[in-house]
Each structure stands twice: as C-alpha cells, then as structure tokens.
Amino acid sequence: ASLKRFDHEHKSMQVLPLILNMAAEDEAKAAKKKATIEEMEAQAVDKAKATADNSFRPSNAVLNAATAAPLLAAVDGPSLQTYEGKESVYVGRAVPVKAGGKLEIPINVTTPGSVVEYAVELPTYDIDISIQAERDEGITIVKEMGRLKAAESPLTQKFLVGAVPCIVQFLFSNEYSWMREKVISYKITVTPPSADSLTAGRRRRATACLDAVKTDLETAQTRLDVAQSQKAKLQEEVAQMIKLLEEKKKAWQVAEKEEQWLSARTALRQEQVSLLLSRLEDGWPDEKKQMDEKKEG
C-alpha cells in the first residue's frame, strides 16, 4: 500500500509540472497573440495616419486667411516644447436616456493623428448610435446611425482623427422609443500621437500642404494675370473716356456760349422785326407828328 501511495504521489508530482508548463505555454501564446494584435493595430494606425497626412489639405478658411499663421498652425500641430501627449478619458456610468430623447457627447480633438477609442455597454435595452467629426470644411460621418443591441454590447471600436481642430460628436438616440428609458455606460479615450509620430506627421502634412498651396498659387497667379490684363484694358478705356469727356466738356462750353450769344441775337432780331413792321404799318412816329402839325396849320 505504501509503495502504491508513493507511486501515485510520484506520478501526481510529475503531472503538476506538466500542467504548470502547459499553463505557462498557454499564457505565453496568449501574450504573443496579444502582442501580435497590438502590433497589427499599431501598424494599421500608423498607416491610417500616413494616409490622412498625405491627403491633408488646408480648409478654405485657412487658405483664405489674411496671414500665414493659420496655415502653419494646421500643419505644425502642437509645439513639441510643451507637448505632453497625455490621454483624455471621458466616462459615463449608467447614464439614462429618456424615452423619445437623445444624449450628445461632444469631444474636442486638438492634436492631429489622435486615436479615439470608445466602449459602449448596454445592460438591458437597445439604442441607436452615430458618430460624426465636425470641422470648418464640413462634417465627416464616422459611424452611420444604427441600432446597437444590448446582446452585442460592450461595443469597442477605435478610429483616427487626421485633421484638427475637430469636434467628434457621439449621439445616442432613443427617439424611436416613446415608452422606455434606456441606460448606457461609455468610456471614450483620446490618445494623442507620440512626439516622434507627431514630428513625422507634420512633415507629411507639410509636403501635402505644399502641393495644395502650389496648386492654389498657380490658380491665383493665372487669375491675377487675367485681372491685371483686364485692369490695364479698363484703365486704357477709362483714360480714353476721360479724354473724350474733356473734349465733350469743351464742346459743351462752346455750345453753351454760342447758345447765349444766339439767344441774345434772336431776341434782338425779333425786336427789330417787330419795330420795322410797326413803322411800315403805322408809320414813323416823327412823320405822324409832322402830319398832325400840317393839319392844324
């Protein structure tokens, strides 16, 4: 019996290291798998950042600014001297969304290349969710309005914000339900890029921005040439019109003087005609007086 017990204990002692080794191998595999997933995610994020930076184009408001400062601010991003790269976390636990109502969560993102990760949990009932990024140049739909089912929660996703300033608007809508209040819990994490990533990003944005600015410069130069040519032509036409106007003014002054002289001459002639007709018809005043004296004598 003692030998059997010893053999059993000996076998048990041999099995225990085997189990521990298997557990260690499983942990190592899990850790390796997690590291692989994290590496793939990091590569995907880096690729997305590069794509966003390479397609960067300053907004019309920036291009139409009176100075170069807004353009440089959009390209440079935050100053590396004061850059800390800290995460921003926004948490809501058991937040009620009343029947027929909605919950809006605006998140201000100020650093280009930031990654926004969100997790939403529904303890019981479904709710509609949408996400959009609002910038000066317009609105980008990140997630179309759609139903998030409680059975599918927690929902965890992440996306990249390439251009800033940007307001990421999370909308949880219960407007379709007029009877039942919903409860949600959420965690939104905004992770800005590392200083090295920020440095690489600003160089990519500068290159893309340079192409956009050069293109706009060519367009502006073409329009400037046309405007200057049109201005010169109009200036010449205006000069000719001014010269013609001066000539017309002189002619008008001559005509005005002639009008005055002829008006006086016409009035004089009319008076002369009237007087001559009066003499021919009624006689001369001195002749009439002489005839009257002869009659009296």
Side-chain angles (χ1 to χ4, degrees):
S2 298
L3 288 174
K4 288 182 179 181
R5 191 188 321 151
F6 174 78
D7 185 56
H8 177 71
E9 290 178 353
H10 180 68
K11 288 181 179 180
S12 299
M13 292 177 65
Q14 289 180 331
V15 170
L16 182 59
L18 180 61
I19 294 175
L20 292 175
N21 288 336
M22 291 176 63
E25 289 177 0
D26 290 341
E27 289 181 1
K29 289 180 181 179
K32 185 177 180 180
K33 183 178 180 180
K34 181 180 179 182
T36 301
I37 293 174
E38 290 178 351
E39 183 179 356
M40 292 175 63
E41 287 183 351
Q43 290 176 353
V45 169
D46 289 341
K47 185 177 180 180
K49 288 179 181 178
T51 301
D53 291 334
N54 291 331
S55 61
F56 172 77
R57 188 184 186 282
S59 65
N60 290 331
V62 170
L63 286 175
N64 294 332
T67 66
L71 177 67
L72 295 179
V75 171
D76 296 349
S79 172
L80 293 176
Q81 294 179 348
T82 57
Y83 185 64
E84 296 180 350
K86 292 183 178 179
E87 288 185 347
S88 298
V89 181
Y90 307 85
V91 178
R93 293 185 176 87
V95 180
V97 182
K98 64 182 181 179
K102 59 184 180 181
L103 172 65
E104 293 180 328
I105 306 172
I107 305 296
N108 186 26
V109 182
T110 58
T111 306
S114 295
V115 175
V116 179
E117 182 176 4
Y118 64 95
V120 181
E121 187 173 359
L122 305 175
T124 51
Y125 302 111
D126 306 345
I127 199 167
D128 285 346
I129 177 176
S130 70
I131 307 170
Q132 63 184 25
E134 300 173 359
R135 303 183 182 87
D136 291 338
E137 57 269 30
I139 296 175
T140 301
I141 303 300
V142 178
K143 183 178 179 61
E144 293 278 0
M145 179 69 75
R147 188 67 48 85
L148 173 59
K149 298 180 179 180
E152 297 173 350
S153 74
L155 170 67
T156 302
Q157 293 179 339
K158 61 177 65 176
F159 58 90
L160 176 73
V161 177
V164 295
C166 174
I167 301 294
V168 178
Q169 193 74 255
F170 288 82
L171 174 61
F172 298 96
S173 176
N174 194 28
E175 293 174 307
Y176 67 90
S177 176
W178 291 94
M179 300 292 292
R180 183 169 289 156
E181 180 180 84
K182 309 295 174 62
V183 175
I184 68 167
S185 295
Y186 64 84
K187 180 180 180 182
I188 302 170
T189 304
V190 180
T191 304
S194 65
D196 291 341
S197 178
L198 188 64
T199 300
R202 61 168 46 162
R203 280 165 172 73
R204 288 191 295 261
R205 289 192 300 276
T207 301
C209 188
L210 183 61
D211 292 338
V213 171
K214 283 183 177 180
T215 300
D216 190 75
L217 174 60
E218 292 176 0
T219 302
Q221 186 62 56
T222 301
R223 293 179 60 186
L224 176 61
D225 293 342
V226 173
Q228 288 176 336
S229 176
Q230 187 177 18
K231 175 188 173 183
K233 182 179 178 181
L234 291 172
Q235 191 172 9
E236 183 179 353
E237 291 178 358
V238 168
Q240 292 175 353
M241 293 175 67
I242 291 175
K243 183 179 179 181
L244 180 61
L245 180 62
E246 291 296 328
E247 293 174 355
K248 295 291 184 182
K249 186 176 181 181
K250 290 179 181 179
W252 170 71
Q253 291 173 344
V254 171
E256 186 178 34
K257 289 181 179 179
E258 187 173 5
E259 178 191 25
Q260 293 173 354
W261 181 78
L262 290 173
S263 294
R265 189 180 184 87
T266 302
L268 176 61
R269 294 293 178 262
Q270 289 175 347
E271 182 184 4
Q272 290 171 341
V273 168
S274 177
L275 291 173
L276 288 171
L277 288 174
S278 176
R279 278 168 170 69
L280 291 172
E281 293 175 359
D282 301 331
W284 275 253
D286 59 341
E287 291 179 355
K288 187 177 181 182
K289 183 177 181 181
Q290 189 177 11
M291 290 178 64
D292 289 342
E293 288 177 351
K294 286 182 178 180
K295 290 180 180 180
E296 290 179 359

